[in-house]
Amino acid sequence: MSVRTPSSQEPAESVHRAGFACFVGRPNAGKSTLTNALVGQKVAITANQPQTTRHTVRGIVHRPDAQLILVDTPGLHKPRTLLGERLNDVVRTTWAEVDVIGFCLPANEKLGPGDRFIAKELAGIKKSPKVAIITKTDLVDSRALAEQLIAVDQLGKDLGIEWAQIVPVSAVGAKQVDLLADLLIPLLPEGPALYPEGDLTDEPEQVMIAELIREAALEGVRDELPHSIAVVVEEMLPREDRPADKPLLDIHANVYIERPSQKGIIIGPKGKRLKDVGIKSRKQIEALLGTPVFLDLHVKVAKDWQRDPKQLRKLGF
């Protein structure tokens, strides 16, 4: 066994890398939670319902030798509406433009048709290296994890995908999250930082605020509602006549649903549910902006907006 002495070590390379990594996977595979864990702060909304991510969110991981920009996409799925088709288009466009693709597969669910559907699409993308990321490892024992690792390896062989790495992680348990970044960075091109130090996302503040409100509104509602909720921040204005040391930001936002019958679900008995949504999202918004906020929420019906191109445009899709 050879032992290396300090004098025999080559000088460390001072190469800086910067580029884009994209997490893909079927809905609810843990992509947004992983993005937040890598960035170290919330930049993507998470919820127990699948399909909560509706547009790409970039989270930025800063290292002395690298900048890893994470692109979080909606889950690829068989679309049933115009919104679903547009979300799938977003995914495919993103895949073609990134430097590395991370395919998220939950450890606690056997590989299914949805995973194979995505893997087949990935097999057609030759340019970008692909890393298989086994998520939610905190939910399984070592035997089940080993079985999933073997299944994912075999999936690659069946479809002619050569995984650059297969990495098990737990974003919730913070296990191997740093290791994942260590393994993604060498796959990025050499180059200077693309975003200023300290930036964690390039998402406009109004979009992030709308997402935080939508996340709070999604919590605890019935299964049929998630896809029907959209939030638009109509106005953000500093309150006039406030002393400089006691600022207050007025935020006016509309929560859109598709049918009048859904209004009662969101508002709740005597308005309690909407009030809770306001309290919960206001805390998150204040933490994001670092300033006190007055949040004014209104629930409006935009009939069948997921199927209407004009409404989709209005709501930002």
Side-chain angles (χ1 to χ4, degrees):
M1 182 177 138
S2 63
V3 178
R4 305 188 76 179
T5 59
S7 58
S8 69
Q9 287 181 351
E10 298 88 0
E13 277 188 75
S14 60
V15 170
H16 189 278
R17 293 180 182 276
F20 295 84
C22 168
F23 291 152
V24 304
R26 58 192 160 82
N28 226 14
K31 302 179 294 292
S32 297
T33 309
L34 188 56
T35 297
N36 291 338
L38 278 160
V39 175
Q41 191 172 314
K42 188 172 196 158
V43 290
I45 83 160
T46 57
N48 293 328
Q49 293 95 341
Q51 275 307 108
T52 44
T53 305
R54 289 222 180 114
H55 45 78
T56 52
V57 171
R58 289 190 175 89
I60 304 162
V61 181
H62 299 272
R63 294 270 185 102
D65 60 338
Q67 193 174 73
L68 173 66
I69 299 136
L70 302 166
V71 183
D72 180 29
T73 61
L76 196 73
H77 62 297
K78 288 202 165 64
R80 292 195 303 270
T81 62
L82 181 60
L83 172 64
E85 284 170 28
R86 290 204 180 164
L87 293 179
N88 278 357
D89 290 344
V90 167
V91 178
R92 292 193 183 96
T93 308
T94 306
W95 290 4
E97 294 170 351
V98 294
D99 301 300
V100 55
I101 296 171
F103 183 17
C104 294
L105 301 126
N108 63 328
E109 293 173 37
K110 287 214 175 343
L111 299 188
D115 299 311
R116 288 176 208 288
F117 170 68
I118 293 168
K120 273 184 190 154
E121 295 250 348
L122 287 179
I125 296 169
K126 302 296 180 200
K127 180 178 75 87
S128 311
K130 295 155 202 80
V131 174
I133 304 165
I134 315 300
T135 58
K136 308 188 183 185
T137 58
D138 53 301
L139 300 179
V140 297
D141 59 22
S142 54
R143 187 177 161 189
L145 178 56
E147 284 171 6
Q148 190 74 323
L149 290 166
I150 292 164
V152 170
D153 184 47
Q154 189 59 48
L155 177 68
K157 286 180 178 144
D158 293 346
L159 295 171
I161 300 171
E162 195 174 320
W163 303 120
Q165 302 279 354
I166 300 178
V167 195
V169 301
S170 166
V172 173
K175 281 194 184 134
Q176 306 233 106
V177 173
D178 286 341
L179 172 68
L180 175 61
D182 293 342
L183 295 171
L184 291 173
I185 284 166
L187 301 170
L188 303 178
E190 292 180 21
L194 301 168
Y195 288 90
E197 182 70 46
D199 280 15
L200 297 179
T201 180
D202 68 353
E203 191 77 298
E205 274 180 355
Q206 272 182 247
V207 174
M208 288 191 77
I209 288 164
E211 288 289 273
L212 289 171
I213 295 166
R214 191 163 70 91
E215 179 182 45
L218 280 173
E219 221 166 80
V221 294
R222 278 189 260 150
D223 292 342
E224 73 269 20
L225 258 184
H227 308 299
S228 300
I229 297 176
V231 178
V232 176
V233 173
E234 300 290 346
E235 203 172 49
M236 282 170 60
L237 292 168
R239 178 82 57 94
E240 288 178 16
D241 309 327
R242 296 282 292 196
D245 59 339
K246 285 191 178 172
L248 183 67
L249 187 67
D250 286 317
I251 298 176
H252 301 277
N254 289 330
V255 179
Y256 288 96
I257 35 102
E258 291 193 295
R259 294 187 298 281
S261 60
Q262 296 170 333
K263 215 167 176 176
I265 300 171
I266 290 288
I267 294 170
K270 295 185 178 171
K272 186 178 182 313
R273 209 164 170 280
L274 188 63
K275 192 178 173 187
D276 290 346
V277 169
I279 291 167
K280 184 159 196 260
S281 54
R282 184 173 52 79
K283 281 183 187 158
Q284 300 262 18
I285 294 163
E286 288 180 341
L288 172 74
L289 301 178
T291 185
V293 162
F294 172 79
L295 181 60
D296 178 37
L297 290 181
H298 292 273
V299 180
K300 297 196 169 184
V301 178
K303 195 170 178 335
D304 293 331
W305 65 262
Q306 293 189 73
R307 291 174 173 78
D308 180 347
K310 203 164 129 198
Q311 303 256 35
L312 281 171
R313 269 198 304 280
K314 184 184 158 193
L315 298 173
F317 299 108

